[in-house]
Amino acid sequence: MIRVDGLVHRYGDTVAVDDVDLAIDDGECVIVAGANGSGKTTLVRHFNGLLDPDEGSVSVNDRSVTDHLVAARTAVAMVFQHPEDQLVAATVGADVAFGPENLGLDRDEIDRRVRESLAAVNLDGREDERVDSLSGGEVERLAIAGALAMRPDHLVLDEPFTGLDEPARRSVLARLRDLRAEGTSLVVVTHDLRDVAELADRVVVLADGDVALDAAPDEAADRLPDLDVRPPC
Ligand SMILES: Nc1ncnc2c1ncn2[C@@H]1O[C@H](COP(=O)(O)OP(=O)(O)OP(=O)(O)O)[C@@H](O)[C@H]1O
């Protein structure tokens, strides 16, 4: 479980996250939506300790993120909005292998995870290609493969469908559906629910850094336009 209690995050005078309480159960799929600047990215960056709370606390699997940073980063994998910033190696295979290598896994297991993760995002067989030769959508899929290779308990994706063409989008959605069925919790940050509403158990909408709505997708649909979120078609 990811648990957020009274979380406040400030950037100077800007209160980006304003006293948020939230719990995401194991195996749940939660959409975090809201207008630009409502605090979505800031909130989820606390889930694996990329930011420190100004007030309040975050725990993952019952352990404080601040006190158990390595455990949080092993349990929660993140894919960010600008995945090109997340690349760490020169080739596709080495990039996906980086996380599992840091977990200290043996070579066979690392190779297996690299193969499976690349296949999950339709990049199979491209281990030896240079990352700087990939298109924007391919880089995004590579970043998702890197997160999948960690076999995290919780996967957080910040605007994962931006820049993906239709086949790539379908393949990522299918993989997310499988992950959810396997018990991985998913947190998908978006301001447009059309892509992921069918997968979600809950929609959490932020407005001005606080939770303005927390409901099942069909219950939430009517209120979404008032909160500057495009409802699913
Ligand atoms: N590094 C930063 N320094 C200063 N202010 C920031 C920083 N990052 C975000 N902010 C501000 O904090 C608030 C919340 O930003 P955040 O990026 O978390 O929102 P968001 O909902 O993810 O927005 P978007 O949909 O545009 O990605 C905004 O007012 C933003 O301008």
Side-chain angles (χ1 to χ4, degrees), residues 11 14 16 34-43 81 158-159 189 191:
Y11 299 102
T14 304
N36 289 138
S38 55
K40 306 179 295 293
T41 296
T42 304
L43 172 66
Q81 251 170 317
D158 197 344
E159 301 282 2
V189 175
H191 58 269

Side-chain angles (χ1 to χ4, degrees), residues 195-209:
D195 289 315
V196 270
E198 52 161 313
L199 279 183
D201 299 298
R202 278 157 68 203
V203 182
V204 171
V205 182
L206 297 185
D208 298 327

Side-chain angles (χ1 to χ4, degrees), residues 52-105:
D52 275 330
D54 287 309
E55 291 172 36
S57 62
V58 180
S59 67
V60 171
N61 301 343
D62 294 325
R63 293 209 274 188
S64 152
V65 171
T66 314
D67 297 342
H68 301 276
L69 202 51
V70 174
R73 294 207 173 147
T74 306
V76 181
M78 300 255 190
V79 180
F80 301 115
Q81 251 170 317
H82 300 288
E84 62 280 6
D85 298 341
Q86 242 178 305
L87 302 180
V88 292
T91 62
V92 167
D95 193 76
V96 178
F98 181 80
E101 278 166 357
N102 282 333
L103 294 178
L105 301 172

Side-chain angles (χ1 to χ4, degrees), residues 83 121 123 134-144 162-165 168:
V121 296
L123 288 175
L134 301 179
S135 72
E138 288 169 339
V139 168
E140 189 144 357
R141 283 144 65 197
L142 176 60
I144 293 171
T162 315
L164 293 190
D165 61 17

Side-chain angles (χ1 to χ4, degrees), residues 2-17:
I2 299 174
R3 199 184 163 89
V4 176
D5 288 300
L7 182 68
V8 175
H9 189 95
R10 300 185 194 92
Y11 299 102
D13 292 337
T14 304
V15 184
V17 172

